[in-house]
Amino acid sequence: MVFGEIKKGISAPYNTYFNVASVTKPVTTMVALRLVSLGKWKLDEPLDQYWIDPDLANDPRHKKLTTRIILTHKTGFPNWRWMNADKKLHFQFDPGTSYQYSGEGFEYLRKAMEKKFGKSLDQLAKELIFKPLKMKDTNYIWDENTDESRFAIGYDKEGKPYPTEKNKTANAADDLHTTVEDLGNFMVNIMKGGNLKPEVFREMIKQQVKIKDNKFFGLGFEVYDLGNGDYALSHGGADSGTRCIAFILPKSGKGLVIFTNTDDGSKIYEKLVLHYLGEEGKKIVMIENK
């Protein structure tokens, strides 16, 4: 369901594009895990044979970086290098030792995969994810097929529009544009095992690193421990003019995808989670509000 107007007097179409911010990360995760399942990529192989960031060339700790460490947010990187005073990438702690959410890690993984396979991330995603799942309205980049008239413009809390970002190169952590239908199909596919080998799927949903009580990161997804072996997978996204989140409950087959194009869009999450996800939704909200 899509509510509201795309422009004054024009109802938003069911296939409205949204910039889903960090909900990009699960898509990049599935590209990497599909490659792992195909035997073309390894979770625990050091990435330095494919890519070393110039900022880290003189820090031997770059040899510790692996796909697992990146997908569990244990790189030791800040979220973005521009947050550092010198705008350069540094380790803030030794890779693998603790949790710190980082978009830089995903960009590191993108560069390593692109170097090894000689293809851009958007090409890899098209081949491995978008085409097989018929996600024809999903892309990391703006290209000649992007229909701008269907793009949801982002707004601040005062209702002022933000300029639309038109990425010409893929960012592994941010700015994917997609539709509710496409991302819904993507999440349903994950619920059914994500075309992954069972052992790779088990690694993905494993509680790899603790964020707070009953909430963990697996590989590229947040994992809520709902008790009695039940769990939810989730990921959210927040950028200027977009608040998005997706949940799936593989045991019960329930799921929820929420896209909003405003800075205060997350205000509606709790009501919708409680309404649509029942008892499991209550547990998710309790974990979040602890």
Side-chain angles (χ1 to χ4, degrees), residues 30 43 49 51-52 64 120 142 155 162 179 227 275 283:
M30 292 307 290
L43 265 180
Q49 59 182 309
W51 169 252
I52 300 166
K64 295 182 176 176
S120 63
W142 280 73
Y155 293 90
Y162 288 105
T179 62
H275 181 76
K283 288 177 187 168

Side-chain angles (χ1 to χ4, degrees), residues 17-286:
Y17 294 128
F18 288 80
N19 171 354
V20 294
S22 285
V23 178
T24 306
K25 292 182 179 80
V27 177
T28 302
T29 295
M30 292 307 290
V31 172
L33 295 183
R34 280 286 292 128
L35 290 165
V36 171
S37 283
L38 293 166
K40 294 178 177 181
W41 193 250
K42 294 191 176 79
L43 265 180
D44 297 303
E45 179 178 54
L47 297 177
D48 63 338
Q49 59 182 309
Y50 307 118
W51 169 252
I52 300 166
D53 192 284
D55 290 357
L56 302 176
N58 297 322
D59 189 330
R61 289 179 291 180
H62 70 246
K63 294 181 168 61
K64 295 182 176 176
L65 292 170
T66 65
T67 300
R68 184 192 301 271
I69 280 173
I70 285 166
L71 297 182
T72 53
H73 293 280
K74 289 160 79 174
T75 54
F77 295 155
N79 193 9
W80 295 110
R81 72 183 75 199
W82 52 258
M83 294 171 164
N84 289 331
D86 64 0
K87 308 278 190 276
K88 292 196 159 155
L89 191 59
H90 309 284
F91 290 111
Q92 296 178 336
F93 54 83
D94 288 350
T97 56
S98 73
Y99 165 81
Q100 179 167 279
Y101 187 82
S102 174
E104 284 290 349
F106 276 71
E107 278 285 83
Y108 209 99
L109 179 60
R110 170 177 73 82
K111 287 164 187 166
M113 291 194 298
E114 288 180 343
K115 276 273 188 283
K116 169 157 188 189
F117 296 104
K119 292 176 181 176
S120 63
L121 175 61
D122 40 293
Q123 283 175 295
L124 288 167
K126 271 196 184 87
E127 290 168 21
L128 294 164
I129 311 286
F130 303 156
K131 278 195 177 141
L133 298 184
K134 299 184 172 57
M135 292 167 68
K136 63 182 187 310
D137 283 327
T138 304
N139 207 335
Y140 284 90
I141 58 170
W142 280 73
D143 61 18
E144 67 284 355
N145 301 316
T146 308
D147 178 357
E148 194 170 350
S149 72
R150 288 201 271 133
F151 188 80
I153 292 160
Y155 293 90
D156 68 13
K157 288 176 184 169
E158 275 71 59
K160 291 197 189 80
Y162 288 105
T164 298
E165 300 283 334
K166 297 183 180 179
N167 279 17
K168 291 291 179 243
T169 53
N171 182 323
D174 201 11
D175 290 331
L176 183 87
H177 49 89
T178 186
T179 62
V180 170
E181 182 181 21
D182 271 12
L183 199 86
N185 288 339
F186 173 78
M187 297 301 284
V188 166
N189 176 257
I190 289 169
M191 215 168 341
K192 295 173 175 169
N195 300 340
L196 301 177
K197 285 188 168 166
E199 61 270 25
V200 177
F201 187 82
R202 280 197 296 274
E203 287 297 324
M204 186 183 89
I205 64 171
K206 201 160 119 186
Q207 298 170 2
Q208 303 262 355
V209 59
K210 187 173 179 176
I211 306 171
K212 60 193 287 194
D213 283 350
N214 300 311
K215 187 179 179 184
F216 305 82
F217 245 96
L219 299 177
F221 286 88
E222 291 176 333
V223 182
Y224 291 89
D225 184 346
L226 305 179
N228 300 323
D230 197 9
Y231 67 99
L233 298 178
S234 176
H235 208 291
D239 274 344
S240 297
T242 183
R243 295 290 184 278
C244 300
I245 200 160
F247 295 94
I248 47 170
L249 298 152
K251 293 268 167 91
S252 67
K254 289 184 208 162
L256 186 60
V257 170
I258 308 168
F259 292 172
T260 74
N261 60 322
T262 172
D263 283 349
D264 55 2
S266 50
K267 288 194 305 203
I268 64 168
Y269 291 176
E270 191 170 307
K271 282 183 183 147
L272 292 172
V273 166
L274 290 170
H275 181 76
Y276 286 103
L277 300 182
E279 281 307 309
E280 297 104 321
K282 271 189 210 153
K283 288 177 187 168
I284 289 167
V285 168
M286 269 172 61

